[in-house]
């Protein structure tokens, strides 16, 4: 069984540029840099949550079931 990586908030905050952007959703870390150009709400929404916990924003916006499925499929860090 593979070990789950653990990151400090300081480590996650270091990944907050357009080229290297991590967000946290429901306690899992996601590298979303490749998704910026495809995000239906625009890249600004993701960039605004770069390096921080985006769970509340993710849930508040009412993402589709497809968006939730993408998170499940996306390899978290």
């Amino acid at each position: 069984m593979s070990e789950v990586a653990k990151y400090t908030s300081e480590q996650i905050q270091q990944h907050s540029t357009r080229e290297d952007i991590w967000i946290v959703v429901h306690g899992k870390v996601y590298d979303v840099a490749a998704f910026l150009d495809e995000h239906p709400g625009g890249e600004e929404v993701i960039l605004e949550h770069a390096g921080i916990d985006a769970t509340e924003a993710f849930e508040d916006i009412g993402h589709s079931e497809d968006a939730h499925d993408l998170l499940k499929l996306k390899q978290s860090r």
Side-chain angles (χ1 to χ4, degrees), residues 4-23:
V4 175
K6 303 234 184 219
Y7 298 98
T8 65
S9 59
E10 291 80 15
Q11 288 172 308
I12 295 166
Q13 290 169 7
Q14 292 175 1
H15 300 272
S16 59
T17 66
R18 189 179 195 300
E19 295 76 27
D20 179 27
I21 181 171
W22 291 5
I23 63 169

Side-chain angles (χ1 to χ4, degrees), residues 18 20-23 30-37 46 71 74 77:
R18 189 179 195 300
D20 179 27
I21 181 171
W22 291 5
I23 63 169
Y30 296 92
D31 179 345
V32 294
F35 188 64
L36 287 178
D37 292 333
I46 297 176
L71 276 185
K74 176 83 172 133
R77 298 201 84 45

